[in-house]
């Protein structure tokens, strides 16, 4: 039986695929970071009134953390159906859920109006946000990774990653603009609702673009092969016993992930841990530190994050492209090792209370973060086989979000509150980055993996004769060339 060629990336389509993923992730991260900024600047007084500003902020960040708790559940549900029915449908659903919850937040009554019901409703909507985002990340990076070729996957897959600073840039920019043109009283009274209501318009734009995305060719190819194998198995069973034999029910993707790929899940968690902790300290906790601890205008903190996010957005694809040349591990290590040291310089620069210096502190921190974050989409995608890739990537990333990103602002605020010093926060941030250093040090390199083949046989550059980085065409029955290359790869890695 002739084995079809591996799906080739269609270069005319990759730009549209990237654009659709980037627009969608930007909108979803806009919703997500809008909540984080509001938790630091607004929700602590409107929904969690307290005589102690840090206590109110801590309670607001608790609802921020609740959203992270829902993300693994979203990763399981979206990952299961994404591995079963495809990436595209789940991406549309995640966008609608996330945007709808954010829009509804803009309509919520405050604690002064309905009392304890206000924070309860806010928490419920936050759970919906977290559930949707839990499925968004895996789908967005996979549909790009599986459309692009092996040679330049790091570059293409890093663009959806740029949606994080893009969304943060948009959310912070809107808040900074409102803070600049409104008095504090007007902003607290109604101005804070505008960015949340704006999400409804952004979702409609994102939905229109995302619907145009084609399904992943790698997924479609794997689905077709699975159907052919099932048909052959049924035919063989029918030959062995009259009337046929009942089909063997395949395990759910998430079960397969934890049974066969639990090591890859742990590597994904460790890889994301330092990146996750550092990002939320650099972009969310910094708002608290500058406005509450240093008692500087909130515009200083917002504008510093705004500048840093703009640089971050531009440089993430550069780090992704560099990982196509050097490998995922070396580039990630640049960021993780840099963050270990920058954790101490960061707060020392903030303590100068000079806006230009604060902006430099945030920007350099986000540059180190980008070195971890840019290659991450390709790195984690390449760890898992196609039939469990959505589930595996989602679970690894979202479990890291719970123990990393969810707790980072809470731990940082509590450390600042207890010690009235940034040193414990610096030690926490440095230790988190060190976890990523060690994890990536022991991980296998994945650059150049053929996503249509099961098992990480080895890391190797894509064939130079294929400008798109696509995999070789398989001859009928499996070519001698491919078999020899597999043996060579296995021998080189000791496989």
């Amino acid at each position: 039986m002739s084995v079809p060629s591996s799906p080739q990336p269609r270069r005319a389509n990759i730009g549209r695929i990237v654009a659709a993923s980037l627009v969608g992730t930007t909108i979803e991260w806009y919703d997500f970071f809008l909540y984080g900024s509001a938790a630091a600047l607004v929700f602590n007084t409107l929904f969690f009134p307290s005589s102690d500003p840090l206590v109110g902020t801590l309670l607001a960040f608790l609802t921020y953390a609740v959203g992270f708790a829902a993300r693994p559940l979203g990763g399981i549900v979206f990952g299961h159906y994404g591995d079963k029915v495809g990436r595209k449908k789940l991406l549309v659903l995640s966008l609608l859920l996330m945007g709808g919850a954010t829009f509804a937040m803009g309509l919520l009554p405050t604690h002064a109006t309905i009392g304890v019901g206000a924070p309860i409703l806010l928490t419920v909507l936050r759970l919906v946000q977290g559930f949707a985002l839990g499925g968004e990340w895996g789908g967005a990076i996979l549909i790009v990774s599986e459309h692009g070729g092996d040679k330049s996957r790091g570059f293409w897959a890093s663009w959806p990653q740029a949606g994080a600073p893009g969304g943060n840039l948009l959310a912070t920019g809107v808040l900074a603009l409102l803070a600049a043109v409104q008095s504090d009283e007007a902003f607290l009274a109604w101005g804070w609702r505008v960015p949340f209501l704006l999400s409804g318009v952004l979702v409609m734009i994102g939905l229109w673009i995302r619907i145009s995305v084609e399904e992943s060719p790698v997924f479609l190819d794997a689905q077709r092969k699975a159907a052919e194998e099932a048909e052959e198995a049924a035919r063989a069973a029918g030959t062995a016993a009259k009337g046929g034999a009942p089909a063997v029910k395949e395990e759910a993707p998430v079960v397969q992930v934890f049974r066969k790929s639990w090591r890859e899940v742990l590597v994904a968690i460790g890889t994301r841990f330092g990146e996750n902790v550092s990002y939320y300290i650099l972009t969310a906790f910094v708002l608290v530190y500058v406005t509450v601890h240093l008692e500087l205008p909130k515009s200083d903190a917002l504008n510093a994050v705004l500048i840093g996010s703009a640089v971050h957005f531009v440089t993430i694809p550069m780090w992704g492209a560099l990982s196509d040349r050097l490998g995922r591990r070396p580039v990630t290590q640049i960021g993780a090792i840099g963050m270990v040291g920058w954790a101490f310089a960061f707060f020392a620069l903030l303590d100068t209370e000079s806006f230009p210096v604060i902006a430099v502190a945030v920007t350099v921190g986000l540059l180190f973060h980008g070195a971890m974050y840019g290659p991450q989409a390709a790195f984690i995608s390449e760890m898992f086989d196609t039939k469990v890739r959505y589930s595996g990537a989602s679970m690894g990333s979202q479990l890291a979000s719970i123990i990393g990103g969810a707790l980072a602002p809470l731990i940082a605020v509590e450390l600042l509150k207890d010690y009235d010093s940034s040193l414990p926060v610096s030690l926490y941030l440095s230790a988190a980055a060190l976890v990523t250093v060690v994890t990536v040090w022991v991980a296998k390199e994945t650059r150049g993996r053929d996503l249509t083949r099961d098992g990480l046989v080895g890391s190797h550059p894509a064939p130079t004769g294929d400008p798109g980085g696509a995999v070789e065409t398989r001859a009928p029955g499996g070519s001698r060339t491919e078999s020899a290359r597999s043996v060579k790869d296995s021998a080189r890695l000791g496989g």
Side-chain angles (χ1 to χ4, degrees), residues 417-440:
K417 181 173 175 290
D418 289 347
Y419 295 96
D420 194 32
S421 169
S422 63
L423 181 59
V425 184
S426 295
L427 291 170
Y428 166 57
L429 176 54
S430 183
L434 192 59
V435 170
T436 294
V437 171
V438 174
T439 301
V440 175

Side-chain angles (χ1 to χ4, degrees), residues 110-312:
T110 64
H111 188 279
T113 304
I114 63 171
V116 72
I120 291 176
L121 290 173
L122 182 66
T123 302
V124 170
L125 292 175
R126 178 61 180 159
L127 285 169
V128 176
Q129 268 193 338
F131 178 81
L133 190 58
E136 161 67 23
W137 185 82
I141 66 165
L142 292 188
I143 202 163
V144 176
S145 294
E146 294 177 345
H147 269 91
D150 303 336
K151 186 176 180 181
S152 54
R153 184 178 298 120
F155 173 71
W156 293 119
S158 67
W159 278 102
Q161 298 286 79
N168 200 10
L169 183 66
L170 189 58
T172 305
V174 172
L175 286 171
L177 177 62
L178 290 172
V181 301
Q182 287 184 317
S183 65
D184 289 344
E185 293 75 17
F187 185 75
L188 286 173
W190 61 272
W192 68 271
R193 298 182 183 274
V194 174
F196 287 89
L197 297 176
L198 180 62
S199 178
V201 178
L202 297 176
V203 166
M204 297 311 296
I205 296 173
L207 187 62
W208 174 70
I209 296 175
R210 188 160 273 190
I211 286 176
S212 69
V213 173
E214 296 178 5
E215 184 55 86
S216 158
V218 173
F219 171 78
L220 292 175
D221 187 62
Q223 198 175 44
R224 178 187 56 76
K225 289 177 181 177
E228 290 177 355
E229 291 173 359
E231 184 179 344
E232 290 181 3
R235 191 182 304 119
T239 303
K242 286 187 176 182
V248 178
K249 187 176 181 181
E250 191 176 44
E251 292 178 320
V254 67
V255 175
Q256 295 183 57
V257 166
F258 283 113
R259 190 167 66 84
K260 300 178 181 178
S261 303
W262 59 269
R263 292 180 183 83
E264 287 76 14
V265 171
L266 290 178
V267 170
I269 291 173
T271 300
R272 290 211 74 189
F273 185 73
E275 169 267 310
N276 239 227
V277 170
S278 63
Y279 192 62
Y280 292 107
I281 287 180
L282 292 171
T283 60
F285 173 72
V286 70
L287 302 180
V288 178
Y289 190 84
V290 171
T291 58
V292 178
H293 183 70
L294 299 180
E295 298 182 346
L296 296 175
K298 62 176 175 287
S299 60
D300 284 1
L302 288 171
N303 289 331
V305 174
L306 195 65
I307 293 169
S309 294
V311 176
H312 200 208

Side-chain angles (χ1 to χ4, degrees), residues 467-492:
V471 294
E472 295 180 24
T473 300
R474 297 178 186 175
S479 70
R480 182 186 301 269
T481 300
E482 178 170 318
S483 298
R485 190 180 71 177
S486 297
V487 170
K488 182 180 178 181
D489 288 339
S490 296
R492 181 166 52 81

